[in-house]
């Protein structure tokens, strides 16, 4: 939906639509995982488990993984999630919130 299309909606409906928020962005700095929040605060993590905990439990936000993140974890394409081990037998995954551009 284009931004101009939103202006054609009735005012009562526009008031009910959720506000669009900027995502937390997962990127790399050398071999460290860096999460940058919309307020430009950065958090550096050693593992995806730490990233997942911070984003989903401490600061719930929409999130996005940059292509370099997929490449670092051996993914040849942007699949929408990254998998990691939480123990020898238990895998987990980091699913960023899908963000749709208007």
């Amino acid at each position: 939906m284009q931004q101009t299309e939103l202006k054609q909606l009735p005012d009562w409906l526009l008031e009910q639509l959720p506000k669009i928020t900027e995502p937390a962005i997962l990127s790399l700095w050398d071999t460290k995982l860096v999460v940058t929040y919309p307020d430009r605060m950065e958090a550096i993590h050693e593992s995806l488990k730490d990233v997942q905990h911070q984003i989903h439990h401490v600061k719930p936000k929409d999130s996005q993984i940059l292509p370099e993140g997929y490449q670092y974890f051996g993914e040849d394409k942007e699949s929408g999630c990254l998998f990691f081990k939480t123990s020898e037998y238990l895998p987990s995954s980091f699913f960023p919130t899908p963000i749709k551009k208007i």
Side-chain angles (χ1 to χ4, degrees):
M1 183 180 293
Q2 297 295 327
Q3 185 70 16
T4 55
E5 292 178 47
L6 287 177
K7 292 180 182 176
Q8 297 173 1
L9 296 174
D11 289 341
W12 65 266
L13 181 56
L14 285 172
E15 292 170 2
Q16 299 301 314
L17 293 175
K19 302 292 182 226
I20 297 172
T21 60
E22 292 292 319
I25 298 174
L26 174 63
S27 61
L28 292 174
W29 180 44
D30 201 19
T31 60
K32 304 285 187 199
L33 301 168
V34 179
V35 177
T36 306
Y37 292 95
D39 62 2
R40 304 300 172 240
M41 184 190 89
E42 292 183 339
I44 299 173
H45 300 283
E46 297 288 330
S47 70
L48 275 175
K49 183 179 179 181
D50 294 340
V51 169
Q52 184 181 48
H53 176 77
Q54 171 136 9
I55 287 178
H56 293 294
H57 297 289
V58 178
K59 294 185 173 231
K61 297 273 184 194
D62 291 336
S63 55
Q64 175 183 3
I65 301 171
L66 294 183
E68 63 201 42
Y70 290 104
Q71 294 167 1
Y72 179 76
F73 287 97
E75 301 289 331
D76 57 347
K77 61 180 181 177
E78 296 177 29
S79 60
C81 71
L82 291 173
F83 295 95
F84 59 96
K85 285 188 171 189
T86 53
S87 70
E88 184 179 352
Y89 301 105
L90 184 62
S92 189
S93 57
F94 174 65
F95 283 92
T97 308
I99 299 170
K100 295 181 181 176
K101 300 275 183 180
I102 293 183

